[in-house]
Amino acid sequence: MADAPVVFRKSKPKNVQRSRVSTPDAVESTGDGQTADVEDAEPPSVLATKLKKKLKTREKPKSRLSFGADEEGESEVFQVKKSNLSRKLALGQHPASAGHFKPAAIDLPSPSRSGSSVRYDAAYLNELKANTPSARPSMPEGDLSYDADMSMVEDSLPQSHMSSVIDLSAEPELETAIPSASAVQVAKEKRERLRTLGTSNTSEDYISLSVSKRSDFSQGPHPESRLMREEDELGDADDEYAEYTSAQERIALGKKSKKAEAKKRREELNELIADAEEVDEEAMEWEQEQLRRGGLRVSETLEKAPKPTYKAAPIPPITPIPTLGAAVARLTTSLTALTTSHQQNTATMASLGEEQLKLDVREKDMREMIAKAEDKRSWFAAFREWVESVATFLDEKYPGLEKLEDEQVYLLKERADMIAQRRKAEDEDDLSLFLGTLPQAVSAGDEVDDLGRVVPRANPAALRRDRLDARNKRRLLRRAGGKAQNNEEEGYSTDSSLPPSDAADYQTALGRVVRDGKAIMSDVQAEEFKNPSRGLGKWFGEWRTQFSDSYSGAWGGLGMVGAWEFWTRLEILGWSPLEDSRTLDSFSWYDALYQYSRPSRPDDRDEDEEAEMGPDGDLVSAMISTAVIPRLCKLLEGGAFDPYSATDVRKLTDLAEQIELSVERSNLKFEMLLKSVVTAFQLAVTSTDSIISPYLALNQPRFDPEAIPARRRFLTRRYKLLQNLLQWRRYTGERFGLGQLAQNLVGSDMLPVAEGGWEVGGEESMRKVAELMPNELIPKSLKT
């Protein structure tokens, strides 16, 4: 269709509102006789000229409403604003333009027709009315929107071209009644009255130009305006094209989201690569079809291979007949090369075979190493678990053992204090007889017991007489029991002996300590915890046998001794080397460690010979220095050793010699043992000095028949102490100041007492002392 405007002339007065009606209605209204006479009176060319002049001089309309207010001017024109669809139909580009329009069926005036041939008579208008559908074409059910752009504006279109907008191919529906001019005028007046009165436009008589109501949509921030802003539109371009603009993509921040994003990106790349590598048969067919349509064929694009031409084979030149020598030489050379290659291949095969054998051996060794490593790991895991169980056992049992050991030391100390108090009382009694009695301190008041009674004070003379009677009774008992000789001198009857009742109580308490020590293991049922030879000896023996390198590097023997110390101390609990006849080699731990230190070997056939020492050395000496010597030091310092007892000195010397076989004399632990013995001698000499000093300062001798035997008893006890001291000095040598200690005993304690009774036994006692002491230790005062 052409885009020329269709122009109509209005014959209504100026105060009549303009109405937008369809072109067929306007044409039909002219057919009623109101404008037809005017158009018949004037030719179409004159009308067209007048309309063009008027269009040039007319003003812009003030309102675009369908039924606007009164406008000034004799006539108005309006233009039909066509949509894109109508323009396509006019250009013939829409598919519907070819099927719907049938210009042969309707005889419409053509634009190319001359103006003189066009006639608008009544017959032509009736025919046009008959062929024009009276109702709007039916619209699809889904398209309910109203296109405001399709409304007509003041620009007019020619009558001949307006018919192209109408679908003439549709079936004409039933005719509808066309309202008369009076009905239209009444409707307009009613509409103007309602507009003037401000009545709502939702009245039933109001004819809306829009299919939908404005209230059905959002009015925006300015409901009084009909302009639509871009931001008020429903929907957003970002939402519509979010798939192509990456508006919905999110930045991955977490570790899991980053991992999922990377995985998704890899999948997309793989899909693109697969799509690029995939051969699309349909696309190939389409390309071939396009090439075929363009006049190119695939077979023509391929270059035809040229036909092969026959060429005769060239005739070789004449070669001379080979001689025998050249052939033999050539064969000899080939044979030599083959022989050399064979030898090289043979040597290579031999070397490869040897290498294969070495690899097999190495593989076997590696498998054995892996198996050994696995066995070692599993064994050490079990060993570690067992060691942890032993540690738990020791943590539970050690406190009870240490408590019993302290109790034994307490019993020894209590016994030594009783003996020392008795010896001190006897010395004070003897000194009082030949040097005088010390003055008694005057007490502030009487002593009262718990019931408030006054305790009578003891008479020193009566107490001295009672102690003398008790000493005589002890001597008689010793002689009756055969423990003392008939010619025994005075003073020897006090050697570490307790009264029978006290001795019985001491033995009972010591036996209770031993029983409590055995009760520590009463709740133990496992044999490997009862007997360390089956527990510690077994595990550490396997460690030494199977993994000797790690055993030696970790000092496994010393570790076993540290764990075995509990059972050793438990076995020697209650044992005093100066009272008990048992020696160190009589204990089970001594024999077990001795056997462990000397493992038996398969090649040792002679059972009489002693086995060689193992890699651990002598573990017996380690146990003695670790557990036995510290225990002996505590016993000796607690009172187990009596410096006045020759028996104790003799037993102690034997014990030290036995320990010396396992522990060197220069060992620090052995020196600690010797120091403990010297400390006991120093305490005895110091106690003698503290007792005799007040009496020597008093020096008030009196005539008493008992003074002479008392002096002899005192000097005899000191002589016994000096004898034991010098005997221990002969074993240890001049260490820890033993010689100086002996000189102090003779010069400070014995010689002043002997000089007071030189004629009554003092000279005899000091001559015996001079004979006993070495010449370098005899004091000068004693020599003179």
Side-chain angles (χ1 to χ4, degrees), residues 695-717:
Y695 288 95
L696 290 177
L698 179 63
N699 196 11
Q700 296 177 358
R702 63 180 180 174
F703 178 75
D704 193 339
E706 295 292 335
I708 295 175
R711 189 187 301 273
R712 287 182 178 179
R713 285 195 300 270
F714 183 82
L715 291 176
T716 301
R717 282 193 290 270

Side-chain angles (χ1 to χ4, degrees), residues 61-133:
K62 296 181 180 181
S63 176
R64 299 185 63 183
L65 296 176
S66 299
F67 301 93
D70 294 341
E71 298 176 0
E72 297 180 358
E74 296 182 357
S75 62
E76 292 290 340
V77 294
F78 60 91
Q79 179 182 0
V80 179
K81 185 178 180 182
K82 295 184 291 183
S83 64
N84 296 334
L85 179 60
S86 62
R87 293 192 182 98
K88 291 181 180 180
L89 290 173
L91 297 176
Q93 295 177 357
H94 197 271
S97 61
H100 287 267
F101 295 136
K102 300 178 181 179
I106 302 173
D107 189 8
L108 294 178
S110 176
S112 60
R113 188 178 302 174
S114 63
S116 60
S117 62
V118 177
R119 293 182 61 82
Y120 294 95
D121 52 359
Y124 175 76
L125 292 177
N126 291 333
E127 182 183 359
L128 180 61
K129 180 180 178 181
N131 294 328
T132 301

Side-chain angles (χ1 to χ4, degrees), residues 23 71 101 107 156 192-193 202 209 216 233 299 341 344 367 406 414 474 521 552 565 597 649 682:
T23 303
E71 298 176 0
F101 295 136
D107 189 8
S156 300
E192 181 64 22
R193 184 173 61 256
T202 57
L209 300 179
D216 295 341
E233 294 183 2
S299 58
S341 176
Q344 293 177 354
R367 292 183 182 277
D406 296 339
E414 186 177 4
R474 287 198 305 271
M521 302 294 291
S552 301
E565 180 181 352
S597 301
V649 174
Q682 290 176 350

Side-chain angles (χ1 to χ4, degrees), residues 314-328:
I315 299 174
I318 299 174
T319 56
I321 297 174
T323 58
L324 183 59
V328 171

Side-chain angles (χ1 to χ4, degrees), residues 590-763:
Y590 189 98
D591 183 65
L593 290 177
Y594 184 85
Q595 297 295 334
Y596 182 85
S597 301
R598 295 164 177 81
S600 59
R601 295 181 176 84
D603 53 353
D604 295 340
R605 298 180 181 180
D606 193 356
E607 298 180 357
D608 297 335
E609 294 182 0
E610 185 178 4
E612 296 181 359
M613 193 78 67
D616 301 321
D618 190 7
L619 296 181
V620 176
S621 63
M623 180 61 73
I624 291 174
S625 61
T626 302
V628 177
I629 293 180
R631 180 61 183 167
L632 290 177
C633 292
K634 288 184 178 181
L635 295 177
L636 295 176
E637 294 174 358
F641 171 63
D642 187 4
Y644 290 90
S645 176
T647 305
D648 289 354
V649 174
R650 185 172 60 254
K651 289 183 177 181
L652 188 59
T653 304
D654 296 340
L655 178 64
E657 291 177 351
Q658 185 179 4
I659 293 175
E660 191 177 355
L661 296 176
S662 301
V663 181
E664 296 180 359
R665 184 183 287 265
S666 60
N667 194 323
L668 181 61
K669 296 294 183 65
F670 189 76
E671 290 185 357
M672 290 174 56
L673 178 63
L674 301 180
K675 180 64 177 178
S676 300
V677 178
V678 173
T679 302
F681 282 112
Q682 290 176 350
L683 291 176
V685 174
T686 304
S687 177
T688 302
D689 292 339
S690 63
I691 293 173
I692 200 174
S693 296
Y695 288 95
L696 290 177
L698 179 63
N699 196 11
Q700 296 177 358
R702 63 180 180 174
F703 178 75
D704 193 339
E706 295 292 335
I708 295 175
R711 189 187 301 273
R712 287 182 178 179
R713 285 195 300 270
F714 183 82
L715 291 176
T716 301
R717 282 193 290 270
R718 306 288 87 75
Y719 176 78
K720 183 173 53 175
L721 178 61
L722 178 63
Q723 186 180 7
N724 293 337
L725 179 61
L726 294 177
Q727 183 179 355
W728 183 252
R729 180 179 178 274
R730 282 194 294 271
Y731 173 73
T732 61
E734 187 58 36
R735 304 178 69 179
F736 307 106
L738 291 177
Q740 184 64 32
L741 188 62
Q743 289 180 351
N744 293 338
L745 177 62
V746 173
S748 301
D749 300 335
M750 298 181 69
L751 188 58
V753 174
E755 289 177 351
W758 193 261
E759 293 83 2
V760 292
E763 182 181 1

Side-chain angles (χ1 to χ4, degrees), residues 187-226:
K188 289 181 179 181
E189 291 177 357
K190 182 179 180 181
R191 181 182 181 93
E192 181 64 22
R193 184 173 61 256
L194 292 177
R195 184 191 303 275
T196 305
L197 295 176
T199 310
S200 176
N201 57 1
T202 57
S203 176
E204 296 180 357
D205 296 335
Y206 172 70
I207 302 174
S208 177
L209 300 179
S210 175
V211 178
S212 58
K213 301 179 181 179
R214 292 187 61 188
S215 60
D216 295 341
F217 302 98
S218 176
Q219 301 300 321
H222 304 286
E224 68 278 0
S225 175
R226 293 189 299 168

